[in-house]
Every structure is written in C-alpha cells, then in structure tokens.
Amino acid sequence: MTDPKAIQPSELDQLPDRDPEETAEWQASLDAVAKAAGPHRAAYLMRRTLERAEGAGVALPQLLETDYVNTIPTAAEPAVDGDEAMESRITAWNRWNAAAMVTRGSKHGVGGHIATFASAAWLYETGFNHFFRGKEGDGSGDQLYIQGHASPGIYARAFLDGRLTEAHLDNFRREAGGEGLPSYPHPRRLPWLWEFPTVSMGLGPISAIYQARFNRYLTSRGIKNLSNSHVWAFLGDGEMDEPESTTALTLASREGLDNLTFVINCNLQRLDGPVRANFKIVQELEAQFRGAGWNVVKSLWGTAWDELFQLDTTGALVRRLREVPDAQVQTYQTRDAAYIREDFFGKDPALVEMAKLLSDDKIVECFHLSRGGHEARKVYAAYRAALSHTGAPTVILAQTVKGHTLGEGFASKNANHQMKKLSVDEFKAMRDRLELPVKDSDFVDGVVPYGHPGAGSPEVRYLQERRAALGGPAPARRVHPAAPLPAPADKAFAAFDKGSGSQNVATTMAFVRLVKDLVRDKETGRRWVPIVPDEARTFGMESLFPSLGIYSPKGQTYEPVDRDQLMYYKEAENGQILNEGITEAGSMADFIAASTSYATHGEAMIPFYIFYSMFGWQRTADQMWQLGDQLGRGFLVGATAGRTTLTGEGLQHADGHSPVIAATNPAALSYDPAFAYEIATIVKDGLRRMYGEAAPGEDQNVFYYLTVYNEPLPQPAKPSAAGIDEGILKGLYRFNTAGSAGLTPAANAARIQLLGSGTAIHWVLKAQRMLAEEWGVAADVWSATSWTELRRDAMEADEALLRGEERVPYVRQALRGAEGPVLAVSDYMRQVPDQIAQWVEQDYISLGADGFGLSETREAARRHFGVDAESVVVTALAQLARRGEVRATAVKEAREKYGL
C-alpha cells in the first residue's frame, strides 16, 4: 500500500483530504491499470467513471470531449416512426431536383450551390417527416432557421409538395419576372415560404437563440403560450467560425432554453477547404458547446461502421479516429481501399489485424459513404434525444460528406462550393445511384429534366400526410389577419406640444418619458418591449425598472443592493424590459424576434431598442439589414447621438455617420428630431403606420430609426401653423421666420434660409439671432427632421417623371418662394444634409462634423468642426457675399470677431 504521507496534495486543491489513505488506494489502482493494461485503458476507465458520476448527480466538472463516436449507440436507437423506404425515395427526388435546378440556372450565369444540400438532405427530410410542427396546428408551430446554401433542397421539396412549379424552379435566382425564387431564405422576397433570412452566415444562430428566448418571454408575460413551439437552427460547421454564431451560447444554457436545437452539418468543409484541416471541428464544437452548458449529441458514423466498432476490442479504432485530422478524413473519402489500409489502419498493429478481416468494399463503404448524417435512423435518434432533453438546449453534431450522392467529381472536393453544375453523364450516374425512373430520352438537347412521381403518387401522398399530421406545410410564413392595435390616447403625445417652459430637457429624456406614458396604456401598454444593452441608467430608463421589471426566467433570487431606493433594480419572471448586458448583437436579435412576432406568432409587439448611436448601425448594421429582410417593425433609438453632443467621450463614442448608414436601408425610416414634440409626432404616426390603420399604398413592414440627444436644452412649444405635422413626417418644415422670432432686420435686408436637424437647430437659432442683431441679415429657420425621407420622396418624383408623371418633390414645394440661399447644418458629416442638395432650387451649402471625433467640451468640439453658431454666421455671410447681398468685408470682419 502506498504510504499516505507520500501523497502530495495538489497546490490547487482547496479542500482538505479527510481520508488520505483511501485517496492513495484510488490513485494506486489507476497506476496499476495504466501499467498492466496501458494508459488508454486507464483513460477509458476514468472517462466512464466521470460519466457515471455525472449521471449520479455528483458535482464534478463536466467532460468537454467524448470519444469520436456516436452519442447514441446503435442498440439504443429508437425505431423510426414511418416508412424509411418511402422517405428514401422522397429524398432522392429532392436531391435530383435541387441539383437540376442549380444546373439549369447555371446556363443563365446566376450560380447556385449544390453540395451543401447534398450533404444535409437527411437532416432536413427527417425533420420534415417527423418533427417540424407546422402553423396550421395548435400554437405557432416550430421556427426553422434553414442554412442558406441549402435552399435549393427546400425548394425541391416544395416542388414535390405542389407548392412550387417548374416555372418557379427555372427562375431560381431570377426574380425580376415575378415567378422567381430568391437565392437564399428571404421573407421579403418570398414571404409565404420563408420566415427567417439566414444569410449572412452567423446571423441565423444568434437569431435562433433569441427567438427561443423571446418565445419564453411571451409565455412568461402571458401574451401567448408557446410551450409547444421548438426552434431549429440548421448551420454549417464552417459557419460556426462567425463570432455571432457562438456569442450567445451561454445565454441559451443559462436560461435553460430546451426549446432550442442547433443542427450543425459537419461536412468538415467551408467555402475554400477544410474547416479545421489539422484538427477536428466536431471535437472542438463539442467542447465549446459543452463548456457553454449545452447538451451535445454526436451522430458521426453510419451503420456500416457497426462491424468495425464490434471488432475494436482494444480501443485502437476509437483512438485512431480521434487523432486523424479532418483534412485527412476528407482525403480518405476520395482514395481507394489500398490507401486507407496503409494510411489509416497501418498506424497501429491492432488496426492492421482488424483490416485483414475487412473487404475492400467494406472499407470503401465506411470511409466514402457511411456517415451519421446520411442515415434516417441515426438522424431520427438524434432528434428524439434532443426533444427529450430538458433543462438545456441541444446541439446535434451530424457528420456528413459535402456533395454526397453527386458523384466522385463533387464529394469532398475543396472546390465543390463553387461547382454549379453536373454534366449529363454525371446526372445519369446520379440517377442510377438514386434509382430514379428518369429515362435517357428525358434529357432533351442536353437539358436535365425535373423529376416528379406525380401529384397522386405514393411519395407525394406520404409527404403530404406527414405534413398534415404535423400541422401543415413547412417552412411557411403566415401573417394572420388581425385587427389593428388601437391607438394610444392623444394625451400621451399632446403633453409635449406645450414645450418644457424654463426647464432644460434632453430629447433622450423626452423619448423615455413618452414611452413611460405609452406603456401605461390599458390597450397596448403590455405590447411594448423595451430593449437596452446595459445602458438603461445612461438613458434615464432606471425609473422603468420597478414598474415594468427586467425579464428573467429565474425571477429575482437575491435582494438587490438598492432595494430601499425608489428606483431599485427589479428582475421578474414576467418582466417587460429586456436588459441584455453589453451585447448590441444580442439586443438586435431580441429586437428582430419581437419586431416580427406579428407574423411568427400572430401577436403584434412594439419593440424599442435604445442604444449608443455610435454602436448601433456601425456595429450591427448587418442585423439591421436582417431586420428589414425579415419585415420587422418597431423603433430603433440612437441615443447620445451626434458627433459633438456627448461631451468628453471622444471619437470612439462620437457618432457622425449613423444616419448615412441608416439611409442605405430601404426599410428604415430615419429621423433626426430636434424637439420633443417632433418625437411625439413621429412615434404617434409610426404606431399608426406599423400597427394601426396604414394609409393606402403605405408599406407597414418598415422600422424607424430616431436619433436623440443627451444635451439638456429648452424644448419649445409646437408651432401652431398649418401643415406642421406633415412637415415633421415628410422631413422639413419652417420653425420660424426672423419676424416671428422677434427679430427686426431692415425691410430690404439680405435673406437666408437656415436648415438644421437634431441638436444643430439650437446653434442655428443662435446664429439666426446673431445674423439679425449683428449683421442685419434676416434668416428663417427650418427644422429638417429627416434628410433621408426628403431624398426618398425626391427620388420617387424622379422615377415618376420617367413614367411621364409630373410630380414636384416635397423639399422643393416646402422651400418654394423662400428668399435667399440655403445653408443646411447637422451634427453629422456633411453627406447627411447633402442628400437633398440636387433637389433644392436655391443656392445650397452645408456644414457638418466630418472627420474623427475628439474628447472636448461641446462648445470646443463644435468650434473644431466648424458647426457652432459663429461658424454658421460666417458661412452664411460668405454665401450672401458671393451673391453680392452683403459687403465682402463682412466675412473677414466676422471671422476676426469670432476668432475663427
């Protein structure tokens, strides 16, 4: 027996050893096994012991990796509840038509992807036949995030189901004619089929996590019971390199989202070559997901491997599978039996002996074809295991061969992602391989035919019966007819019309106050979804904490440190606020789920997501495109906006460009309101347009981007002139004239029009007074609430002109008759106000904050960028001097007077 005194405790062990002698015996046993049976046997026993401990609830660190074998042994696989032979014929037709569609499209040069669906066909078919709930049953059905490059296979199945025609397939990637199919899942382009856009890669995974989380949110808040809805996300192993793919894994496990399953198609290839050439991507992903708290199910090997594993009495085969890098596995899939015998089996004497018992055909079958992701029984077992697991999300790692069944020219080739067609001979070989009844004479003029067994065939009847039992077609997007949400009472909006009097109020605070009033509305208040990325106190939203609560599936299991304060930090299972921590990407995923709930669940929700404007469109603009693609509705609020209003923070926080980026998105209505009453007017109309009675021709599938500021300033009363609301919504209205502002320049004074947006209007108003009092110039001030909406209206007028219709852009109508040149000012780069320049009849010039931001006071920053009131005055005088309307020396005098 080992002397207990010789046992040295680990330096990291903080627990006292209550029985050193027993510890020594365990360690001695391990040493004995390693010596007698080898280290591999010792490792095996340790893994089995740890697994037993985990199953018994013993608190031990979890194993991050298991052997490179299937999680579910063959003997434990449940029987498939269906006709496997029938499903095999259906899958064969789908494989054929997917390849035919892309090949026929290649004649038009539009491209397409064949190999991805070829590898994933059974992953989808098994789900469609046995698991994916449709929207015609109870609840909302399941939510399916389809891997973008697999879209031809989904179209092929919809064709077999009768939902698409040959004309549709022949217009794959050609949408202009009206019967085309978008290249990838796209709700805006094919809104009856696709729910979720999943290209760009990486956005599908994070969106799926937050969709599953939002389903729980709706259930917890009593909006809709979604306990029967499951979220399935189909991903590629190469796609998991995208940071968005893994950024929210711990959220899913932390909140116990067992209503979520990731299915990762591990064909070991990305776009240009192996995902992990010198490593093993499956093992890496397993460790990553297990470490994040997910349940992991590996489906790696098909039934052909059963014989090999039964022969592996020493564990040599499992060890060899674990050590061979992915790129070499890919090579085995393209080499003959002799090469595999030498390179794979020849590395270990035990494997050499095993190989002697295997025929060449058996070796080729195993290494070329037999993968867990290609067999319905293996996939079915993995899906059943995922749905039966509770308390955590599940990831299924299914190994496949990219280009499977397409022939030797495709399977596992590095270039197969870029290979867009098969030759006629390759199709004929594929036909024979899939045992399809396609005749040689069906290939007319070298064109591959589409295949269909007939609308009344056993295959189609089986497919449709399966889908009927599961609740109807899938994937499918449904927007159920629903009554518009009632408009909130006018009182909430009208409160801003009188202004703030002597009180200085930042527009950020005005927006928060408006929301506080709106969430109290008895009809629609509970439908608001406030979203904030851990900056609620920055934006003055802490007052919402105790009244609305922060959503947490665990509620509040602690006593908050500020419980004795009025605005304490309150979490609740039915909390309304989504406070996401420091993750703009996660917050946007929340927003997308909430903003599309009207379609996904038939429940209209009103999300507003408030964020540092610098970190919104700049960091997550890809998701904002996803939002537009998915036809989302709601309010994005860029707070602490502008390049000079966030005093002292510096260039990393100084936003001079978000309206430029927002302007590129056709679904985004971008506004830069200056005053509180403008915000109220815009939000009121946004609620009407997106959730109420939209006007004829108005697109409801839009979202709003409002920039708001943290600079406390006087909020004026709403002018009483006619057409103010129209001007606010269309983007421009005259706020005052020199006369209405109480200024009295001479009757023949030079005149100029000053346009300002957002916080810049305050510098413009100061400049208006300086021009009148110091230089005798009369200036009218206009509030430009949306440069982008003015531009879009003008562009529509141009398009109308091409059709022979005469239409005057609104900006030209508004400024018609306004005397003098136009000077436009904003707290953004000049490109923002310059959007309207070509449609302004008057002489036009702009000022803006171009370049990098800097840490300074607001006043100094504005002087630095040349947008302060003094700079506006000098620029205005220069414009007028060029026109001969003020003396030329006035410009030099003003420059010297103001120290410019």
Side-chain angles (χ1 to χ4, degrees):
M1 182 181 296
T2 304
D3 182 359
K5 295 180 181 178
I7 304 299
Q8 300 297 319
S10 166
E11 294 179 2
L12 301 179
D13 192 352
Q14 300 299 311
L15 297 176
D17 191 342
R18 296 187 300 175
D19 193 339
E21 186 172 346
E22 182 184 34
T23 303
E25 290 174 356
W26 277 78
Q27 292 172 328
S29 298
L30 182 64
D31 292 342
V33 170
K35 184 176 180 180
H40 298 301
R41 177 60 180 170
Y44 175 85
L45 290 175
M46 288 300 298
R47 286 199 300 275
R48 297 292 88 84
T49 302
L50 287 171
E51 288 171 358
R52 174 61 65 89
E54 181 182 332
V58 177
L60 285 173
Q62 194 177 42
L63 284 172
L64 293 185
E65 285 187 37
T66 59
D67 287 330
Y68 201 63
V69 297
N70 294 348
T71 302
I72 305 169
T74 301
E77 293 170 0
V80 177
D81 180 22
D83 187 333
E84 292 185 61
M86 181 68 73
E87 292 174 21
S88 182
R89 292 202 296 274
I90 293 171
T91 305
W93 282 119
N94 291 340
R95 289 181 182 279
W96 176 271
N97 288 322
M101 178 195 328
V102 176
T103 297
R104 289 169 67 140
S106 69
K107 296 180 181 296
H108 304 285
V110 295
H113 302 291
I114 303 177
T116 294
F117 177 74
S119 67
W122 275 112
L123 302 180
Y124 292 107
E125 194 59 37
T126 303
F128 285 129
N129 285 324
H130 302 282
F131 295 96
F132 304 156
R133 295 186 183 93
K135 294 184 174 297
E136 294 173 4
D138 295 335
S140 299
D142 289 352
Q143 289 80 58
L144 308 180
Y145 288 78
I146 305 295
Q147 189 180 0
H149 292 140
S151 64
I154 309 305
Y155 291 139
R157 195 174 202 278
F159 169 64
L160 208 64
D161 193 13
R163 294 201 288 164
L164 292 176
T165 66
E166 286 194 17
H168 286 114
L169 301 192
D170 258 351
N171 283 288
F172 174 59
R173 292 194 167 197
R174 294 192 297 154
E175 301 177 74
E179 277 197 315
L181 300 176
S183 54
Y184 304 122
H186 206 304
R188 188 169 286 275
R189 291 302 183 200
L190 205 61
W192 59 268
L193 180 71
W194 297 121
E195 274 197 288
F196 308 109
T198 48
V199 177
S200 299
M201 288 191 290
L203 299 188
I206 188 173
S207 294
I209 290 172
Y210 280 89
Q211 181 66 58
R213 195 275 193 98
F214 190 72
N215 290 358
R216 291 280 171 86
Y217 170 88
L218 289 179
T219 301
S220 296
R221 293 196 51 223
I223 302 291
K224 186 173 186 178
N225 185 350
L226 297 172
S227 55
N228 288 327
S229 284
H230 200 83
V231 177
W232 300 82
F234 289 82
L235 320 167
D237 46 1
E239 183 177 6
M240 299 309 296
D241 285 347
E242 288 284 2
E244 294 89 350
S245 296
T246 57
T247 189
L249 296 185
T250 54
L251 168 74
S253 60
R254 190 167 63 244
E255 300 203 359
L257 298 181
D258 50 20
N259 61 338
L260 170 68
T261 298
F262 275 16
V263 181
I264 302 183
N265 177 16
C266 297
N267 56 35
L268 313 186
Q269 288 184 249
R270 51 190 178 196
L271 308 189
D272 288 331
V275 179
R276 293 290 184 273
N278 295 298
F279 306 93
K280 300 191 81 63
I281 186 60
V282 169
Q283 299 299 89
E284 178 183 318
L285 291 174
E286 179 184 29
Q288 190 171 21
F289 277 88
R290 281 184 179 275
W294 287 53
N295 176 46
V296 179
V297 177
K298 293 195 290 191
S299 182
L300 307 181
W301 309 111
T303 53
W305 282 83
D306 288 350
E307 179 183 344
L308 276 68
F309 288 124
Q310 289 170 1
L311 294 172
D312 185 30
T313 58
T314 66
L317 176 62
V318 172
R319 291 195 300 273
R320 182 69 178 134
L321 288 173
R322 193 165 60 239
E323 69 188 21
V324 175
D326 283 353
Q328 192 63 24
V329 172
Q330 185 179 348
T331 298
Y332 292 150
Q333 291 164 186
T334 64
R335 299 299 179 90
D336 59 17
Y339 178 90
I340 298 170
R341 285 182 186 276
E342 178 182 353
D343 193 86
F344 181 84
F345 292 97
K347 304 297 184 182
D348 188 296
L351 293 179
V352 172
E353 294 303 312
M354 179 190 293
K356 293 177 181 179
L357 304 174
L358 303 174
S359 67
D360 284 356
D361 287 345
K362 183 66 175 181
I363 289 175
V364 168
E365 180 187 12
C366 287
F367 283 84
H368 284 203
L369 304 173
S370 186
R371 298 292 183 272
H374 293 325
E375 296 188 14
R377 186 173 294 269
K378 303 292 185 184
V379 177
Y380 184 91
Y383 287 6
R384 275 278 168 245
L387 290 182
S388 63
H389 187 82
T390 59
T394 294
V395 59
I396 295 169
L397 303 175
Q399 187 165 236
T400 65
V401 176
K402 193 168 185 177
H404 183 59
T405 73
L406 296 179
E408 294 182 0
F410 265 83
S412 294
K413 292 294 191 292
N414 281 339
N416 60 19
H417 186 78
Q418 303 302 327
M419 298 162 70
K420 312 298 183 187
K421 59 184 178 180
L422 278 72
S423 67
V424 170
D425 288 341
E426 287 172 323
F427 266 109
K428 290 179 178 179
M430 182 182 177
R431 170 201 61 191
D432 298 341
R433 195 176 303 117
L434 297 176
E435 300 179 350
L436 289 172
V438 179
K439 301 186 293 293
D440 285 355
S441 59
D442 293 335
F443 293 81
V444 179
D445 297 328
V447 177
V448 58
Y450 295 121
H452 200 293
S457 66
E459 291 91 340
V460 173
R461 287 202 308 272
Y462 180 90
L463 181 157
Q464 293 177 341
E465 288 168 1
R466 280 284 167 181
R467 288 311 317 157
L470 287 166
R477 182 178 183 271
R478 297 284 187 270
V479 180
H480 302 284
L485 293 183
D490 278 343
K491 181 180 179 182
F493 305 102
F496 295 90
D497 290 353
K498 61 184 179 181
S500 63
S502 59
Q503 183 182 7
N504 289 340
V505 177
T507 52
T508 299
M509 302 314 302
F511 177 83
V512 171
R513 178 187 161 189
L514 175 63
V515 169
K516 285 176 63 178
D517 291 341
L518 293 175
V519 296
R520 295 192 187 104
D521 186 84
K522 293 181 180 180
E523 296 289 337
T524 60
R526 72 191 189 113
R527 296 191 176 272
W528 282 86
V529 183
I531 302 168
V532 61
D534 200 37
E535 288 283 2
R537 297 182 192 277
T538 300
F539 307 135
M541 290 174 58
E542 65 270 25
S543 60
L544 298 179
F545 289 167
S547 58
L548 301 183
I550 299 166
Y551 170 71
S552 170
K554 292 183 178 294
Q556 194 153 38
T557 61
Y558 60 92
E559 183 178 357
V561 67
D562 54 359
R563 183 62 183 87
D564 58 343
Q565 297 179 16
L566 181 63
M567 292 183 286
Y568 69 96
Y569 197 82
K570 177 187 174 184
E571 297 187 77
E573 290 184 45
N574 63 346
Q576 192 165 351
I577 301 170
L578 294 173
N579 190 321
E580 285 309 347
I582 305 175
T583 167
E584 281 84 7
S587 299
M588 269 306 303
D590 257 337
F591 188 89
I592 291 169
S595 71
T596 54
S597 180
Y598 73 92
T600 309
H601 298 306
E603 295 286 349
M605 304 299 287
I606 311 170
F608 81 87
Y609 164 34
I610 188 166
F611 51 89
Y612 268 104
S613 66
M614 181 70 169
F615 304 139
W617 284 90
Q618 173 172 290
R619 183 170 288 178
T620 55
D622 199 10
Q623 287 177 285
M624 286 151 179
W625 275 97
Q626 180 190 11
L627 167 64
D629 291 346
Q630 202 167 317
L631 289 77
R633 305 170 184 173
F635 297 96
L636 297 175
V637 183
T640 59
R643 181 142 282 165
T644 69
T645 61
L646 191 59
T647 179
E649 286 285 2
L651 71 90
Q652 294 94 340
H653 290 67
D655 170 26
H657 52 277
S658 70
V660 178
I661 307 175
T664 65
N665 192 310
L669 305 186
S670 180
Y671 285 89
D672 185 25
F675 304 124
Y677 67 79
E678 293 177 351
I679 293 173
T681 301
I682 294 165
V683 171
K684 180 180 179 181
D685 195 68
L687 291 172
R688 175 201 61 79
R689 176 170 178 172
M690 295 185 290
Y691 301 98
E693 296 284 358
E698 269 188 329
D699 184 3
Q700 281 191 286
N701 299 316
V702 295
F703 60 93
Y704 284 68
Y705 176 54
L706 279 67
T707 47
V708 293
Y709 301 86
N710 72 326
E711 186 175 8
L713 291 165
Q715 295 298 326
K718 186 176 183 178
S720 58
I724 294 296
D725 283 358
E726 179 188 28
I728 291 172
L729 298 175
K730 289 192 171 182
L732 184 68
Y733 69 95
R734 181 153 41 196
F735 175 73
N736 70 16
T737 64
S740 65
L743 306 172
T744 55
N748 61 347
R751 304 191 69 87
I752 190 169
Q753 307 300 315
L754 301 179
L755 280 56
S757 69
T759 195
I761 203 166
H762 295 280
W763 327 325
V764 168
L765 287 168
K766 181 179 177 182
Q768 177 192 41
R769 182 166 297 278
M770 293 169 65
L771 283 167
E773 294 177 350
E774 301 176 26
W775 305 97
V777 172
D780 296 343
V781 171
W782 301 71
S783 179
T785 54
S786 180
W787 309 100
T788 301
E789 287 304 294
L790 291 173
R791 174 180 175 81
R792 288 176 177 171
D793 171 82
M795 290 171 65
E796 290 174 6
D798 288 352
E799 292 169 8
L801 188 61
L802 289 175
R803 299 190 299 268
E805 303 170 17
E806 290 290 339
R807 202 185 116 193
V808 180
Y810 176 80
V811 64
R812 190 169 294 168
Q813 296 177 43
L815 290 171
R816 179 171 290 160
E819 297 180 45
V822 171
L823 171 57
V825 188
S826 85
D827 202 19
Y828 300 93
M829 55 196 301
R830 290 173 64 176
Q831 189 174 339
V832 174
D834 283 351
Q835 291 181 83
I836 66 170
Q838 72 185 81
W839 291 283
V840 175
E841 293 180 319
Q842 294 89 339
D843 291 342
Y844 188 91
I845 195 170
S846 65
L847 290 176
D850 286 75
F852 289 111
L854 75 165
S855 298
E856 255 300 351
T857 63
R858 295 186 180 108
E859 294 75 15
R862 287 162 188 165
R863 174 57 58 91
H864 170 81
F865 287 110
V867 293
D868 59 352
E870 291 78 7
S871 298
V872 173
V873 169
V874 171
T875 306
L877 292 174
Q879 272 188 292
L880 294 169
R882 281 192 295 270
R883 295 161 58 95
E885 296 177 12
V886 300
R887 50 192 174 80
T889 56
V891 180
K892 183 174 182 294
E893 293 171 11
R895 191 181 301 117
E896 292 174 351
K897 179 177 181 178
Y898 303 133
L900 296 178

